Amino acid sequence: MKKITIAIDGFSSCGKSTMAKDLAHEIGYIYIDSGAMYRAVTLYSIENGIFKGNEIDTERLQKEIGNIHISFQLNPSTGRPDTYLNGVNVENKIRSMEVSSRVSPIATLGFVREAMVAQQQAMGNSKGIVMDGRDIGTTVFPDAELKIFVTATPEIRAQRRYDELKAKGQEASFDEILENVKQRDYIDQNREVSPLRKVDDALLLDNTNMTISQQKEWLQKQFDKTIKG
């Protein structure tokens, strides 16, 4: 059976990563979380003093971006890939609110996106991958055979993020998360480089009122249709 590239784009906290991981697992494809890559660059910047308060020392980050290598390794206990930053597992660290609140400004930097897109395209050379993010269908894999754009209301997305953090035992404020979701939406849609937008050939998935099983069924149907193409 021919292998294809599946690009899943959409707003933050839409559950893109979960659906992409599940779909990849079901169809035996490799999953790549592009958002985790920008989070890893953000974590690197926090841990290496590249943030001065809320300001980013862009000159220094630009000099060091070539030394930031991100990879994914399957976690046998979860059956899902973990994110590695220069060989160190940072999967839990990159999901913190500190990283969430700083990732959008990092992701707007042209040289950061250029570096990450190059790493992503290298990962996808052999097809048979599912990648999710903000610009996969527009910039990273414009020729992807299946493109999906995911959306949901900001309130629903904030609630999902809140529940996720509480389940991990992390402190969380719903109002703070909702504000963060809205800020990220604005930044993602209005940045100069690769803004978040739905391309004409992407299928729209509004999962505001969908259960996970309904979503899985919908995704599988789109995959089967594309493969039979």
Side-chain angles (χ1 to χ4, degrees):
M1 193 185 286
K2 68 167 183 175
K3 288 202 165 182
I4 64 169
T5 298
I6 301 170
I8 300 180
D9 289 309
F11 293 95
S12 68
S13 303
C14 266
K16 293 188 305 296
S17 298
T18 303
M19 74 176 74
K21 284 173 193 168
D22 287 346
L23 180 63
H25 183 71
E26 291 294 323
I27 62 179
Y29 276 27
I30 293 162
Y31 164 70
I32 299 165
D33 180 353
S34 76
M37 297 174 74
Y38 292 100
R39 284 174 172 271
V41 176
T42 305
L43 180 68
Y44 177 94
S45 302
I46 291 167
E47 291 186 338
N48 289 277
I50 287 169
F51 274 100
K52 310 293 181 193
N54 287 323
E55 295 297 309
I56 303 162
D57 184 343
T58 51
E59 202 175 308
R60 192 176 143 209
L61 182 56
Q62 192 158 11
K63 279 181 189 163
E64 296 183 26
I65 195 74
N67 304 323
I68 300 175
H69 302 289
I70 295 144
S71 57
F72 297 92
Q73 292 179 35
L74 197 67
N75 181 327
S77 61
T78 63
R80 297 257 173 93
D82 284 346
T83 310
Y84 283 72
L85 170 60
N86 293 336
V88 178
N89 187 330
V90 292
E91 185 60 35
N92 287 332
K93 281 186 172 182
I94 62 169
R95 307 294 170 187
S96 70
M97 268 308 287
E98 184 182 15
V99 170
S100 292
S101 62
R102 293 182 170 203
V103 65
S104 287
I106 289 283
T108 61
L109 298 170
F111 65 87
V112 172
R113 298 204 75 81
E114 201 177 298
M116 293 304 103
V117 167
Q119 289 190 34
Q120 288 155 13
Q121 287 173 332
M123 291 175 191
N125 280 340
S126 52
K127 301 266 182 188
I129 63 159
V130 182
M131 190 181 288
D132 74 291
R134 303 285 195 283
D135 63 347
I136 312 307
T138 53
T139 304
V140 184
F141 297 120
D143 298 327
E145 292 87 344
L146 177 56
K147 298 175 187 173
I148 293 160
F149 190 90
V150 195
T151 187
T153 65
E155 290 74 19
I156 283 285
R157 289 185 282 133
Q159 188 62 52
R160 288 171 183 164
R161 183 87 181 116
Y162 175 82
D163 292 344
E164 186 188 325
L165 289 170
K166 293 302 273 185
K168 289 179 180 174
Q170 295 183 26
E171 281 300 308
S173 150
F174 175 81
D175 291 339
E176 188 185 323
I177 293 167
L178 179 58
E179 186 57 35
N180 176 242
V181 163
K182 288 177 177 176
Q183 276 177 357
R184 287 177 71 186
D185 286 355
Y186 181 82
I187 294 170
D188 290 340
Q189 289 175 292
N190 291 280
R191 66 177 176 230
E192 282 181 36
V193 183
S194 303
L196 172 67
R197 64 181 178 86
K198 178 188 173 294
V199 286
D200 293 340
D201 59 344
L203 303 171
L204 182 68
L205 170 60
D206 184 338
N207 66 13
T208 300
N209 299 308
M210 286 176 93
T211 64
I212 287 172
S213 59
Q214 286 170 333
Q215 188 172 266
K216 275 186 180 178
E217 193 182 326
W218 185 90
L219 284 166
Q220 187 69 48
K221 201 180 288 179
Q222 306 316 315
F223 173 72
D224 293 341
K225 210 184 288 181
T226 307
I227 285 291
K228 284 167 188 163

